[in-house]
Amino acid sequence: MQSWSIPEGWPKFDIAVVAGCRWRLPKSLENKFSEGVVSVHPSLLPKHRGPTPVISAMLSDSRETGVTVCEYSFDRVDSGNILAQLPYTIEKGYKREDVLRDLGYLGGKLLVKSIENIDHVKKRAVRQNMREASYSRYYDNDDEVRVIWETMGADEIVKLNEAFHGKRATHTIFRKKDSMAKVFLYDMHVADKSTEPLDAEFLKYPPGSIFYRRKVPYLEVPCIDGKRLHITRLGREGRSIMTGLQYVNGYLRLSGALRFLSYPVEPVKPTPKFQYPPGYVKPTLTDVYSPAESQKLLATSKKHKASDRNKIKQLIESMCDE
């Protein structure tokens, strides 16, 4: 890109626009346009400069971001004077593609208005405050989207899934006998408290345990924070994407008897017991629900117990800590 130049014979242009370009423009273009070069960036600069501003914004605790039209800087990435900005709030449940769609629409509108009033916005351009600058980065490590059941709560897992959705899928490990498979988790959400657990005693099981019920379209997975994930679409590496119900029919036989793993283990060795963080205290049902709600859940759960309940308990007890 640094060696690129405007081909001979091309007409002269008044202004150039840069959007979504991961390469720096060559310095030779700096004075080739009478109105200069402007950039459209999907964040409220100087926050989240760099290549992945949407992912960085979604992984942060703040749901506030936006779009910026600025003068293009040939010296430092995304550091030109700000010409115009629009704020944007990331809605709950929005995935990366949803945010990109909305910011693309807002950025296009803001760019047109800025170009139509280029002299006006240039006169009122604002220099970026370097002390407030933050930078996004490239994500190219497989572990960056791995679910770590020993440390990640349900909200953190969903946030990771939403931030990378459509780019890279969050993933976990599923073991069945000596077979170890990477499983991509495509769609999920944190279970609402009002939704009945598929097993009222789910908190006795280690995080990552897989619960299901026939005709229920999701897998239910407890997390380290006591909340439950509902996984609706997933798929083994190299296989087709499945709904939760299809996955049950293809790979599961006993609800709660198997669990997702953070990392693969040697096939010839038994699955190790779940390692809780030091000082961790397991939440109880009454920590999540009121005493009356807990009793109701336990009573309702009895209607769904399988005939081989004792066998399931023995399997789970072998995986749980004392």
Side-chain angles (χ1 to χ4, degrees), residues 17 38-44 66-70 82-87 102-118 121:
V17 176
V38 298
S39 174
V40 186
H41 188 76
S43 81
L44 292 178
V67 64
T68 300
V69 175
C70 64
I82 295 171
L83 303 177
Q85 287 186 318
L86 277 177
D102 289 356
L103 291 182
Y105 175 80
L106 292 176
K109 291 285 188 180
L110 189 63
L111 175 64
V112 171
K113 287 292 184 182
S114 298
I115 292 177
E116 289 175 345
N117 300 277
I118 192 66
V121 295

Side-chain angles (χ1 to χ4, degrees), residues 152-221:
M152 288 184 175
D155 292 312
E156 184 179 359
I157 295 170
V158 169
K159 182 164 67 173
L160 185 71
N161 175 266
E162 291 174 347
F164 283 92
H165 201 276
K167 182 178 179 67
R168 298 175 66 191
T170 49
H171 61 84
T172 185
I173 300 297
F174 178 73
R175 177 181 188 174
K176 189 172 183 181
K177 297 182 179 180
D178 287 339
S179 173
M180 211 76 56
K182 180 185 289 186
V183 176
F184 295 105
L185 309 177
Y186 294 104
D187 289 313
M188 64 177 75
H189 61 271
V190 179
D192 189 270
K193 186 179 175 181
S194 61
T195 304
E196 176 197 335
L198 298 187
D199 190 317
E201 297 180 292
F202 69 94
L203 291 172
K204 294 182 178 180
Y205 295 71
S209 298
I210 308 168
F211 295 92
Y212 71 90
R213 190 177 295 164
R214 297 294 177 183
K215 298 183 180 180
V216 172
Y218 54 78
L219 303 181
E220 186 170 274
V221 183

Side-chain angles (χ1 to χ4, degrees), residues 67-78:
V67 64
T68 300
V69 175
C70 64
E71 296 176 345
Y72 184 83
S73 172
F74 288 84
D75 300 315
R76 183 178 292 178
V77 64
D78 300 324

Side-chain angles (χ1 to χ4, degrees), residues 127-264:
R127 181 176 297 179
Q128 294 189 37
N129 187 340
M130 294 298 296
R131 294 181 179 180
E132 296 179 355
S134 62
Y135 293 85
S136 61
R137 61 184 180 85
Y138 288 111
Y139 292 91
D140 54 9
N141 190 323
D142 193 51
D143 282 341
E144 291 167 335
V145 287
R146 181 189 300 275
V147 177
I148 309 298
W149 300 103
E150 289 78 5
T151 60
M152 288 184 175
D155 292 312
E156 184 179 359
I157 295 170
V158 169
K159 182 164 67 173
L160 185 71
N161 175 266
E162 291 174 347
F164 283 92
H165 201 276
K167 182 178 179 67
R168 298 175 66 191
T170 49
H171 61 84
T172 185
I173 300 297
F174 178 73
R175 177 181 188 174
K176 189 172 183 181
K177 297 182 179 180
D178 287 339
S179 173
M180 211 76 56
K182 180 185 289 186
V183 176
F184 295 105
L185 309 177
Y186 294 104
D187 289 313
M188 64 177 75
H189 61 271
V190 179
D192 189 270
K193 186 179 175 181
S194 61
T195 304
E196 176 197 335
L198 298 187
D199 190 317
E201 297 180 292
F202 69 94
L203 291 172
K204 294 182 178 180
Y205 295 71
S209 298
I210 308 168
F211 295 92
Y212 71 90
R213 190 177 295 164
R214 297 294 177 183
K215 298 183 180 180
V216 172
Y218 54 78
L219 303 181
E220 186 170 274
V221 183
C223 297
I224 195 78
D225 57 359
K227 296 182 180 180
R228 297 166 288 136
L229 280 181
H230 283 175
I231 301 172
T232 53
R233 293 174 69 246
L234 68 166
R236 292 180 57 162
E237 187 174 29
R239 306 287 181 87
S240 300
I241 298 175
M242 298 181 175
T243 64
L245 186 58
Q246 288 172 329
Y247 197 84
V248 167
N249 294 333
Y251 297 103
L252 301 179
R253 292 294 179 270
L254 300 175
S255 181
L258 297 174
R259 63 180 169 96
F260 289 127
L261 307 176
S262 301
Y263 297 96

Side-chain angles (χ1 to χ4, degrees), residues 55-71:
I55 292 177
S56 296
M58 296 186 73
L59 290 177
S60 70
D61 293 330
S62 173
R63 305 295 289 182
E64 300 301 321
T65 186
V67 64
T68 300
V69 175
C70 64
E71 296 176 345

